[in-house]
């Protein structure tokens, strides 16, 4: 409600909030979530809401570079195509400013990054995991990539950032998946070449800051992939052909490295 000065709008918002939490007084945590969820609903813009939910893919207290986040949004279509890349970046900054203005994101690192408060992130994860659209395991130090049974066909975004990946021996069936974050893991030592075979909708794949030594051959068939991030993959020595990727816009250096300010 920052920037709203009309008393009628404040009264209306109060009435909406009362209605929203009516009958939901089970405990303090749930009450807080309901209030925060009301702020999310009052964005009144599905695309703006999706941009906010995208931020849940990063670990708790993570400082997300604004430009990197916007580039993810562009790749998955949350920022519409415009005449120039600069226009798209400007549109992304405008979206971030709106989310900051309503205090759902906070600016940090002299404006270069944003972060999401822990409680807001928990609320957003609660929303994003409904209908199995998101799987967020970022920062949980998983030893292995989740087994196939954990990968729902409805998944659209998955984050396994900052995990201790040892093996990936499953072939998940996720035709709707558009974003897969694997960056900042301590290493993937066993990967099936076919692991991406059933992810034809994938648009963003980030495997930066890992010890991956080769990319699975099934990446060659990700015809919708637009951005592949491989920043600081010092052990990487094999990348299969990307000739089929007609909408592909760049690897690592062209798009810029993702991640925090560090």
């Amino acid at each position: 409600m920052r920037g709203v000065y009309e008393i009628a709008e404040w009264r209306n918002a109060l009435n909406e909030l009362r209605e929203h939490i009516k009958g939901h007084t089970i405990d303090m945590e749930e009450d807080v979530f309901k209030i925060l969820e009301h702020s999310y609903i009052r964005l009144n813009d599905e695309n703006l809401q999706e941009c906010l939910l995208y931020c849940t893919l990063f670990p708790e207290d993570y400082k997300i570079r604004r430009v990197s986040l916007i580039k993810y949004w562009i790749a998955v279509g949350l920022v519409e195509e415009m005449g120039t890349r600069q226009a798209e970046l400007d549109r992304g900054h405008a979206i971030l400013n709106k989310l900051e203005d309503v205090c759902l994101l906070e600016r940090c690192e002299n404006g270069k990054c944003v972060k999401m408060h822990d409680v807001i992130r928990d609320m957003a994860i609660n929303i994003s995991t409904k209908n199995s659209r998101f799987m967020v395991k970022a920062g949980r130090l998983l030893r292995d990539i989740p087994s196939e049974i954990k990968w729902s066909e409805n998944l659209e975004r998955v984050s396994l950032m900052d995990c201790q990946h040892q093996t990936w021996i499953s072939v998940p069936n996720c035709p709707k998946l558009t974003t897969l974050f694997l960056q900042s893991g301590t290493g993937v030592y066993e990967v099936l070449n076919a692991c991406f075979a059933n992810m034809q909708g994938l648009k963003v794949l980030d495997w930066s800051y890992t010890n991956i030594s080769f990319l699975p051959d099934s990446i060659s068939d990700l015809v919708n992939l637009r951005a592949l991030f491989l920043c600081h993959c010092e052990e990487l020595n094999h990348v299969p052909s990307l000739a089929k990727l007609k909408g592909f816009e760049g690897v690592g250096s062209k798009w810029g490295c993702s991640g925090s300010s560090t």
Side-chain angles (χ1 to χ4, degrees), residues 228-241:
L228 174 61
F229 295 85
L230 298 169
C231 304
H232 298 282
C233 292
E234 309 297 342
E235 304 298 322
L236 184 63
N237 55 48
H238 171 69
V239 177
S241 171

Side-chain angles (χ1 to χ4, degrees), residues 8-21 38:
E9 286 199 52
W10 279 96
R11 281 199 300 261
N12 179 63
L14 179 59
N15 289 332
E16 288 181 355
L17 181 57
R18 285 170 175 164
E19 287 297 317
H20 191 66
I21 65 175
H38 182 69

Side-chain angles (χ1 to χ4, degrees), residues 147-161:
S147 61
E148 289 180 47
I149 196 171
K150 301 287 187 180
W151 297 73
S152 163
E153 290 187 12
N154 293 324
L155 278 173
E156 297 175 14
R157 291 159 195 157
V158 171
S159 177
L160 303 173
M161 287 181 64

Side-chain angles (χ1 to χ4, degrees), residues 182-187 207-212 231-235:
L182 298 169
Q183 64 266 41
S184 302
T186 56
W207 223 329
S208 301
Y209 299 97
T210 63
N211 294 323
I212 186 74
C231 304
H232 298 282
C233 292
E234 309 297 342
E235 304 298 322

Side-chain angles (χ1 to χ4, degrees), residues 142-193:
L142 299 180
R143 298 289 294 178
D144 299 313
I145 300 290
S147 61
E148 289 180 47
I149 196 171
K150 301 287 187 180
W151 297 73
S152 163
E153 290 187 12
N154 293 324
L155 278 173
E156 297 175 14
R157 291 159 195 157
V158 171
S159 177
L160 303 173
M161 287 181 64
D162 290 350
C163 293
Q164 299 176 350
H165 306 140
Q166 300 289 327
T167 60
W168 188 352
I169 55 176
S170 62
V171 184
N173 183 26
C174 299
K176 298 179 181 179
L177 190 67
T178 62
T179 298
L180 178 57
F181 283 177
L182 298 169
Q183 64 266 41
S184 302
T186 56
V188 179
Y189 304 107
E190 184 178 354
V191 184
L192 283 182
N193 264 318

Side-chain angles (χ1 to χ4, degrees), residues 9-231:
E9 286 199 52
W10 279 96
R11 281 199 300 261
N12 179 63
L14 179 59
N15 289 332
E16 288 181 355
L17 181 57
R18 285 170 175 164
E19 287 297 317
H20 191 66
I21 65 175
K22 185 183 294 183
H24 296 281
T25 56
I26 298 174
D27 56 40
M28 180 63 72
E29 181 177 334
E30 183 170 334
D31 287 348
V32 170
F33 274 20
K34 288 295 179 182
I35 293 170
L36 292 175
E37 187 174 353
H38 182 69
S39 298
Y40 166 83
I41 292 171
R42 278 190 63 84
L43 289 172
N44 290 322
D45 184 322
E46 184 176 349
N47 193 71
L48 201 58
Q49 292 170 340
E50 286 296 312
C51 286
L52 177 69
L53 296 183
Y54 204 93
C55 297
T56 64
L57 298 176
F58 298 89
E60 191 173 290
D61 296 323
Y62 201 79
K63 297 174 182 177
I64 313 167
R65 286 189 180 275
R66 289 174 65 98
V67 172
S68 296
L69 178 58
I70 293 168
K71 287 175 178 177
Y72 289 132
W73 287 348
I74 292 171
V76 297
L78 291 176
V79 172
E80 66 272 21
E81 292 187 12
M82 304 178 76
T84 65
R85 177 49 52 86
Q86 187 59 55
E88 293 169 356
L89 290 171
D90 290 344
R91 172 60 178 156
H93 282 293
I95 291 172
L96 281 172
N97 290 341
K98 288 181 181 178
L99 294 174
E100 291 170 1
D101 285 345
V102 295
C103 301
L104 289 173
L105 290 178
E106 55 185 284
R107 187 171 296 200
C108 56
E109 299 296 324
N110 296 317
K112 294 180 180 179
C113 301
V114 294
K115 62 183 295 188
M116 181 178 275
H117 189 280
D118 297 350
V119 178
I120 293 175
R121 182 175 182 270
D122 289 344
M123 175 275 297
I125 287 177
N126 186 54
I127 293 172
S128 65
T129 53
K130 291 177 181 177
N131 302 318
S132 302
R133 291 178 55 229
F134 283 51
M135 179 166 64
V136 181
K137 305 290 185 182
R140 296 194 182 181
L141 302 178
L142 299 180
R143 298 289 294 178
D144 299 313
I145 300 290
S147 61
E148 289 180 47
I149 196 171
K150 301 287 187 180
W151 297 73
S152 163
E153 290 187 12
N154 293 324
L155 278 173
E156 297 175 14
R157 291 159 195 157
V158 171
S159 177
L160 303 173
M161 287 181 64
D162 290 350
C163 293
Q164 299 176 350
H165 306 140
Q166 300 289 327
T167 60
W168 188 352
I169 55 176
S170 62
V171 184
N173 183 26
C174 299
K176 298 179 181 179
L177 190 67
T178 62
T179 298
L180 178 57
F181 283 177
L182 298 169
Q183 64 266 41
S184 302
T186 56
V188 179
Y189 304 107
E190 184 178 354
V191 184
L192 283 182
N193 264 318
C195 62
F196 295 113
N198 299 321
M199 297 183 183
Q200 297 303 310
L202 196 63
K203 295 180 179 180
V204 171
L205 173 60
D206 196 331
W207 223 329
S208 301
Y209 299 97
T210 63
N211 294 323
I212 186 74
S213 60
F214 71 95
L215 294 185
D217 291 340
S218 51
I219 282 182
S220 297
D221 296 319
L222 296 178
V223 294
N224 290 300
L225 193 67
R226 294 192 62 194
L228 174 61
F229 295 85
L230 298 169
C231 304

